[in-house]
């Protein structure tokens, strides 16, 4: 089975810190995604990448950046963490272009900014 | 552009009762449709998907969904609820605008509560 691993389940950071959320997938998927999930708002797409070094903004990219230097790793960066970035962050990857069978999600990182 | 509407942010059923979670979609192309489940403090897990072919799709844990093109719906059902079904459920449609064609657009989710 495809595995998507997020480096931390729970994270507490201080306002103004630079925060790195790491995501690694092990099945050679082309596409990777970062979402944040908040009660009542569902999943909102922050950034996605469909190839190494390629990235595109999602619906709410402000305050975030991403890095994809290797195919298997997609990092989300909070340049200067703020309390309104307290949320559940979900990474996902999707199957190669020859077929699309939905996403595989990681277990999520619950980030608290204090 | 694709969009998903899940009717009812919270559904409560008794154990053993029918589960019906509603999903309507909008898509400019033949849709690929998905249901995901999320247990507390976990990521999302694929329940079932419709891509092409048979419109009644069976998934894990006894869930099924029927694609109805005329109603633009993809409702999720389970004949008999179990306590372990308590979770949040998300409907999604493939596509969502620019960039990769392999994005999913999600509904806002429906929290299912199962009462003993």
């Amino acid at each position: 089975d495809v595995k998507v691993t997020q480096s931390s389940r729970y994270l507490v950071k201080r306002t103004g810190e630079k925060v790195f959320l790491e995501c690694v997938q092990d099945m050679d998927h082309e596409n990777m995604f970062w979402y944040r999930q908040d009660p009542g708002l569902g999943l909102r797409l922050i950034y996605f990448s469909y190839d190494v070094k390629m990235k595109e903004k999602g619906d709410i990219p402000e305050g975030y950046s991403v890095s994809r230097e290797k195919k298997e790793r997609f990092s989300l960066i909070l340049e200067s963490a703020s309390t309104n970035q307290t949320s559940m962050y979900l990474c996902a990857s999707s199957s190669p272009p020859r077929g699309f069978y939905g996403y595989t999600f990681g277990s999520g990182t619950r980030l608290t900014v204090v | 552009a694709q969009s998903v509407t899940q009717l009812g942010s919270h559904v409560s059923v008794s154990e053993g009762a029918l589960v019906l979670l509603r999903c309507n979609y909008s898509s400019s192309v033949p849709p690929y449709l998905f249901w995901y489940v999320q247990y507390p403090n976990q990521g999302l897990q694929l329940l079932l998907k419709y891509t092409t072919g048979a419109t009644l799709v069976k998934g894990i844990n006894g869930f099924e969904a029927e694609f109805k093109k005329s109603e633009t719906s993809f409702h999720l059902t389970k004949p008999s609820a179990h306590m372990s079904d308590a979770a949040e459920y998300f409907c999604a449609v493939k596509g969502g605008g620019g960039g990769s064609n392999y994005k999913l657009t999600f509904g806002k989710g429906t929290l299912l509560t199962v009462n003993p």
Side-chain angles (χ1 to χ4, degrees):
Chain A
D1 283 348
V2 178
K3 196 166 183 182
V4 177
T5 303
Q6 293 184 233
S7 53
S8 304
R9 292 297 303 276
Y10 300 93
L11 214 50
V12 179
K13 296 292 182 180
R14 296 196 179 278
T15 301
E17 274 193 80
K18 190 169 186 175
V19 180
F20 293 85
L21 303 183
E22 305 287 347
C23 176
V24 177
Q25 51 95 2
D26 66 358
M27 277 296 288
D28 202 37
H29 280 186
E30 304 286 342
N31 306 303
M32 297 187 74
F33 307 83
W34 276 106
Y35 287 84
R36 66 176 281 176
Q37 182 181 15
D38 300 288
L41 298 178
L43 277 73
R44 293 181 291 168
L45 182 63
I46 305 172
Y47 268 97
F48 66 99
S49 168
Y50 50 91
D51 202 351
V52 176
K53 297 190 186 294
M54 303 298 290
K55 61 186 179 185
E56 284 204 21
K57 293 180 180 179
D59 301 316
I60 52 163
E62 295 78 19
Y64 303 94
S65 62
V66 290
S67 172
R68 194 167 181 200
E69 296 295 319
K70 294 184 177 181
K71 193 173 186 179
E72 67 271 18
R73 185 180 297 269
F74 191 37
S75 303
L76 180 69
I77 305 156
L78 287 65
E79 297 290 343
S80 178
S82 64
T83 55
N84 64 12
Q85 293 178 309
T86 292
S87 186
M88 174 71 130
Y89 289 87
L90 293 166
C91 176
S93 68
S94 70
S95 54
R98 62 181 175 272
F100 181 73
Y101 303 105
Y103 291 171
T104 300
F105 281 89
S107 298
T109 296
R110 188 166 292 281
L111 173 67
T112 302
V113 182
V114 298
Chain B
Q2 281 73 5
S3 67
V4 174
T5 302
Q6 291 185 239
L7 297 173
S9 59
H10 188 191
V11 170
S12 183
V13 301
S14 298
E15 193 173 19
L18 171 72
V19 176
L20 171 61
L21 305 182
R22 299 178 187 273
C23 173
N24 288 90
Y25 70 91
S26 168
S27 177
S28 55
V29 297
Y32 285 18
L33 295 159
F34 303 81
W35 275 101
Y36 284 84
V37 61
Q38 185 182 33
Y39 300 103
N41 292 313
Q42 294 188 25
L44 278 68
Q45 177 184 0
L46 182 65
L47 262 183
L48 50 79
K49 61 183 181 290
Y50 169 80
T51 54
T52 58
T55 56
L56 182 62
V57 179
K58 295 187 185 301
I60 62 172
N61 301 337
F63 284 93
E64 62 183 35
E66 186 170 13
F67 168 57
K68 292 188 177 180
K69 184 178 178 181
S70 61
E71 299 177 8
T72 61
S73 69
F74 191 57
H75 301 331
L76 182 71
T77 60
K78 182 174 180 178
S80 177
H82 191 273
M83 297 295 290
S84 61
D85 295 326
E88 191 158 21
Y89 293 79
F90 292 90
C91 182
V93 62
K94 176 188 162 186
S100 168
N101 188 37
Y102 300 99
K103 285 167 40 179
L104 290 178
T105 296
F106 288 87
K108 290 192 178 346
T110 298
L111 182 64
L112 176 67
T113 302
V114 182
N115 304 306

